[in-house]
Amino acid sequence: MVTSRDVAHAAHVSQATVSRVLNGNTRVAPEARERVLRALDELGYVPNASAKAMRTARAGAVGIVASEMLNPYFPRLLDALTREARERDLTVLLWNDDDPAAPMAQAGVKSGAVDAVIFAAAKQETTGVDQLASRGVPVMLVNRADPGNPVDQVTSDHEGSGYAAAAYFLDRGRDDLATVFGPRDTFASPARERGFRRCLAERGVEVATRRWFVGTTSYEHGWASATALLESGTLPSAVFCSADLIAFGVISALRRGGVRVPEDVWVMGNDGLPMSEWDPFDLTTHRQPIEEIAKQGMDRLVARMAGEHGEPRRIMIPTELIVRGSTAHA
Amino acid sequence: MVTSRDVAHAAHVSQATVSRVLNGNTRVAPEARERVLRALDELGYVPNASAKAMRTARAGAVGIVASEMLNPYFPRLLDALTREARERDLTVLLWNDDDPAAPMAQAGVKSGAVDAVIFAAAKQETTGVDQLASRGVPVMLVNRADPGNPVDQVTSDHEGSGYAAAAYFLDRGRDDLATVFGPRDTFASPARERGFRRCLAERGVEVATRRWFVGTTSYEHGWASATALLESGTLPSAVFCSADLIAFGVISALRRGGVRVPEDVWVMGNDGLPMSEWDPFDLTTHRQPIEEIAKQGMDRLVARMAGEHGEPRRIMIPTELIVRGSTAHA
DNA sequence: CTGAAAGCGCTAACAT
DNA sequence: ATGTTAGCGCTTTCAG
């Protein structure tokens, strides 16, 4: 291992001068600086992260708590977050932790391994978030709007996308509806549900309880719900799904049952997964601005790490309706 | 922050005794140990990671270099790897780094932030791997067999799955073949290609060059290749795709062109993605033992971190052929 | 402008 | 069995 002492020796200066050159906040004589820079380069010096962290009491790292890595939106989010982190010279620690108390994050903060935590978990339970936030640790919620929680959050407008979905159907005379939602203990799905309901209420449209399905965010849940619709004898004119994955299952089951999409039934998803564009689905959906969420989330977090105080900020980014063949018929 | 001094003070012992209790290699009087344990618990003590790392010269962390987070097998691998890491009390640093020299990993090791590196990148270029390995850093290659590289590697048998694919077709009299492969500069695709070719050679079967497609690992590449087949006027009796994603595109394009799968053309994928089971695809494929790869990979890495020397180990795990409706017709 | 020295929290000798 | 002490590599006073 090459230490700053080695560099100092090679450059015929004191170790403190090497440190000064590296941090650049103090004045150093041009010739000395030159020698140090050369030695730095020749020896391939890289500062010891632990020593620096111990001395400065800052790890230069953020932790990401992920409980649903297999959720299809997660890779895009992680890709975007790690890219943003790199641009800001932040190290990323990844915790695969599905405990709502987020014990790994608690330990990560207490051990000084990270300076801040990003919660990318889908579940509503927030004991872990609360504990950290109350200790003054910079905490960020991505893609979940939690008005009751006094921490920074950046999310897409889940409720708005649900509202837009219902409005889209009703504006086009499709008022014989069915819906298939994900779990109630997550953020995104209930929010989309609320938005959908709000629009229904405004227009005085009702949806029968037996056509209001709630389950997991999965192809299988969509398949099962659509199968139930088929078996009920009468079909709705349109189905809204709170997630693309669910919509794929709905479309597949309907077609398997001899029902045409969109001629007989319209189907809409939500998420804008790359697959939604595939020919067998050609799904009308709402694009989630993942990159934008990652970017703004990191911006906020970095500001807090830099010591910014003040009220928690709740940033909401609108989604974009993408109309495709699963609803668009002449 | 709670330090071991605070604990020592609360327990009326010296700080060294606290350390002894924590590390448990030296004898401590029962009553003292008891007091320390209680203080530890009451104060919610967590050792400072930096101090420990600096003192022991071990970070207790591994880095994962990922260049293709959006590759659909990646989330499963990452999920499995982080799970394994947690079981072994290892922290995971994630580097989103597509530079073959893996500069983030180099810095991570030099700075002492990690003790070992896992390469989960798809590309063949290995300057980064070589540099670390030659410096004696524990390095692990997951899901890429690179016989020329003297480092530990755990991979599924890509070549074997290619061979099995060809054998499956030929054993059933399907010898009018087409193939659609992923990029030549990755590990998995060319290996699958080699296996497929080897079986063809053994049986004296040839595939026309214009029916041997090479491109990206994507739905789009599958779609484009199948479209070319359709436009060529004559169809093969079976198509092997080096990845499920590609196969989804092939099936979609064939069906869009009015061709029935499997009645007219058989299609086989490779990867065993969850979607391969979906009704619109119902794809025959080769399941990749991702969890097993992660587990054995971590086992090897931990052994090396513990100081195990000796020849690099190349572990190869067989894949499993899953026959579904895209090939199985009476 | 620069060198010497203190100290971050911890482990591991070294004393006792 | 346990307290004292010396650093790990770094940043930051404090002298000069």
Side-chain angles (χ1 to χ4, degrees):
Chain A
M1 169 187 272
V2 182
T3 73
S4 59
R5 282 181 71 99
D6 300 333
V7 176
H9 205 248
H12 302 293
V13 296
S14 75
Q15 184 266 337
T17 297
V18 175
S19 185
R20 280 191 267 260
V21 170
L22 286 168
N23 296 296
N25 32 12
T26 323
R27 220 166 274 304
V28 175
E31 324 88 67
R33 147 171 269 108
E34 192 56 42
R35 287 202 310 278
V36 170
L37 287 174
R38 192 171 9 253
L40 241 27
D41 185 53
E42 277 170 11
L43 297 178
Y45 171 79
V46 175
N48 182 287
S50 300
K52 187 166 192 161
M54 182 155 61
R55 183 60 235 231
T56 61
R58 299 191 88 263
V62 304
I64 298 180
V65 179
S67 66
E68 309 204 331
M69 294 199 181
L70 303 182
N71 192 315
Y73 89 90
F74 185 72
R76 282 198 298 158
L77 181 62
L78 192 63
D79 182 59
L81 285 174
T82 50
R83 229 177 266 286
E84 295 294 330
R86 180 175 47 181
E87 281 178 17
R88 293 166 171 80
D89 272 315
L90 288 171
T91 300
V92 171
L93 268 65
L94 184 59
W95 295 306
N96 192 344
D97 196 347
D98 51 4
D99 184 331
M104 302 181 77
Q106 308 295 332
V109 167
K110 282 193 171 180
S111 72
V114 301
D115 305 319
V117 179
I118 295 171
F119 281 82
K123 289 276 167 32
Q124 274 192 333
E125 259 256 36
T126 58
T127 34
V129 178
D130 302 343
Q131 268 171 42
L132 290 175
S134 66
R135 295 179 53 224
V137 178
V139 169
M140 181 79 222
L141 264 47
V142 290
N143 222 17
R144 42 197 258 191
D146 191 6
N149 219 334
V151 305
D152 289 330
Q153 32 198 279
V154 179
T155 176
S156 61
D157 185 1
H158 297 302
E159 185 168 336
S161 71
Y163 186 95
Y168 175 88
F169 287 146
L170 299 179
D171 284 347
R172 286 157 185 76
R174 299 258 156 172
D175 54 7
D176 189 21
L177 303 172
T179 61
V180 190
F181 288 99
R184 286 265 165 77
D185 64 349
T186 61
F187 278 85
S189 185
R192 293 166 186 183
E193 213 174 332
R194 269 197 308 282
F196 198 87
R197 253 188 229 286
R198 184 158 55 80
C199 184
L200 292 183
E202 283 179 18
R203 316 266 183 122
V205 175
E206 304 219 334
V207 174
T209 308
R210 58 184 172 75
R211 283 191 173 170
W212 198 285
F213 299 89
V214 174
T216 59
T217 302
S218 67
Y219 172 92
E220 288 73 20
H221 173 47
W223 179 278
S225 301
T227 301
L229 285 174
L230 286 166
E231 287 171 353
S232 76
T234 67
L235 288 174
S237 57
V239 182
F240 174 60
C241 308
S242 70
D244 286 352
L245 273 184
I246 294 174
F248 301 149
V250 167
I251 290 177
S252 300
L254 288 177
R255 293 218 175 112
R256 174 60 61 192
V259 173
R260 292 169 307 163
V261 176
E263 292 83 350
D264 302 326
V265 178
W266 289 10
V267 178
M268 187 187 291
N270 197 335
D271 274 344
L273 300 185
M275 299 178 247
S276 65
E277 206 176 350
W278 294 2
D279 190 67
F281 306 121
D282 195 22
L283 182 69
T284 294
T285 186
H286 303 258
R287 204 178 62 77
Q288 302 292 331
I290 301 280
E291 285 74 19
E292 190 66 14
I293 289 173
K295 188 175 177 50
Q296 297 216 30
M298 275 293 181
D299 280 344
R300 289 277 69 230
L301 203 61
V302 167
R304 293 295 183 190
M305 287 191 278
E308 184 194 291
H309 276 57
E311 285 303 294
R313 297 268 280 270
R314 297 189 178 79
I315 299 169
M316 187 167 283
I317 303 172
T319 58
E320 179 196 354
L321 177 66
I322 304 172
V323 177
R324 298 211 186 91
S326 69
T327 62
H329 101 286
Chain B
M1 170 187 269
V2 182
T3 73
S4 59
R5 283 181 71 101
D6 298 334
V7 176
H9 204 250
H12 303 291
V13 294
S14 75
Q15 184 267 336
T17 296
V18 176
S19 186
R20 280 190 267 259
V21 170
L22 287 168
N23 296 295
N25 33 12
T26 324
R27 219 166 276 302
V28 176
E31 325 86 69
R33 145 171 271 109
E34 193 56 42
R35 289 202 308 277
V36 169
L37 287 174
R38 190 169 12 251
L40 242 25
D41 185 55
E42 276 171 12
L43 298 177
Y45 172 80
V46 175
N48 181 288
S50 300
K52 187 167 194 162
M54 182 155 62
R55 184 60 238 232
T56 61
R58 299 191 85 265
V62 304
I64 298 180
V65 179
S67 66
E68 309 206 330
M69 294 199 180
L70 303 182
N71 192 316
Y73 89 90
F74 184 73
R76 282 198 297 158
L77 180 62
L78 193 61
D79 182 58
L81 284 174
T82 50
R83 230 177 265 286
E84 295 293 331
R86 181 174 47 181
E87 281 178 17
R88 294 167 171 80
D89 271 315
L90 287 171
T91 300
V92 170
L93 268 65
L94 183 61
W95 295 306
N96 192 346
D97 196 348
D98 50 5
D99 184 331
M104 301 180 77
Q106 308 296 332
V109 167
K110 282 193 173 182
S111 73
V114 301
D115 305 318
V117 179
I118 294 172
F119 281 83
K123 289 278 166 38
Q124 274 191 331
E125 259 255 38
T126 58
T127 34
V129 178
D130 302 343
Q131 269 172 40
L132 290 174
S134 66
R135 295 178 55 224
V137 178
V139 169
M140 180 80 220
L141 264 46
V142 290
N143 221 17
R144 42 196 256 190
D146 191 7
N149 220 334
V151 305
D152 289 330
Q153 34 200 278
V154 179
T155 177
S156 61
D157 186 0
H158 297 301
E159 186 168 335
S161 70
Y163 186 96
Y168 175 88
F169 287 147
L170 299 179
D171 285 348
R172 285 157 185 79
R174 299 259 157 172
D175 54 6
D176 188 23
L177 303 172
T179 60
V180 190
F181 289 97
R184 285 264 164 77
D185 63 351
T186 62
F187 278 85
S189 186
R192 292 167 187 182
E193 212 174 332
R194 269 197 308 282
F196 197 87
R197 253 188 228 286
R198 184 158 55 80
C199 184
L200 291 183
E202 283 179 19
R203 315 268 183 123
V205 175
E206 304 216 334
V207 173
T209 309
R210 62 187 169 73
R211 284 191 172 169
W212 197 284
F213 299 89
V214 174
T216 59
T217 302
S218 68
Y219 173 92
E220 287 72 21
H221 173 46
W223 178 278
S225 302
T227 300
L229 285 174
L230 286 166
E231 287 172 352
S232 75
T234 68
L235 288 174
S237 57
V239 181
F240 173 60
C241 308
S242 69
D244 286 353
L245 272 186
I246 294 173
F248 300 149
V250 167
I251 290 177
S252 300
L254 288 177
R255 293 216 176 115
R256 174 58 61 193
V259 174
R260 293 169 307 163
V261 176
E263 292 82 352
D264 303 324
V265 178
W266 288 12
V267 177
M268 186 187 291
N270 196 336
D271 275 342
L273 301 185
M275 306 179 242
S276 65
E277 205 175 350
W278 294 2
D279 189 67
F281 305 121
D282 195 22
L283 183 69
T284 294
T285 186
H286 303 258
R287 204 179 61 77
Q288 301 291 329
I290 300 280
E291 284 74 20
E292 189 67 14
I293 288 174
K295 188 175 177 48
Q296 297 216 30
M298 275 292 181
D299 280 343
R300 288 278 68 230
L301 203 61
V302 167
R304 294 293 183 191
M305 286 192 279
E308 185 195 289
H309 278 57
E311 286 303 295
R313 298 267 282 269
R314 298 188 178 79
I315 299 170
M316 188 168 282
I317 303 172
T319 59
E320 179 196 353
L321 177 66
I322 304 172
V323 177
R324 297 211 187 91
S326 69
T327 62
H329 99 288

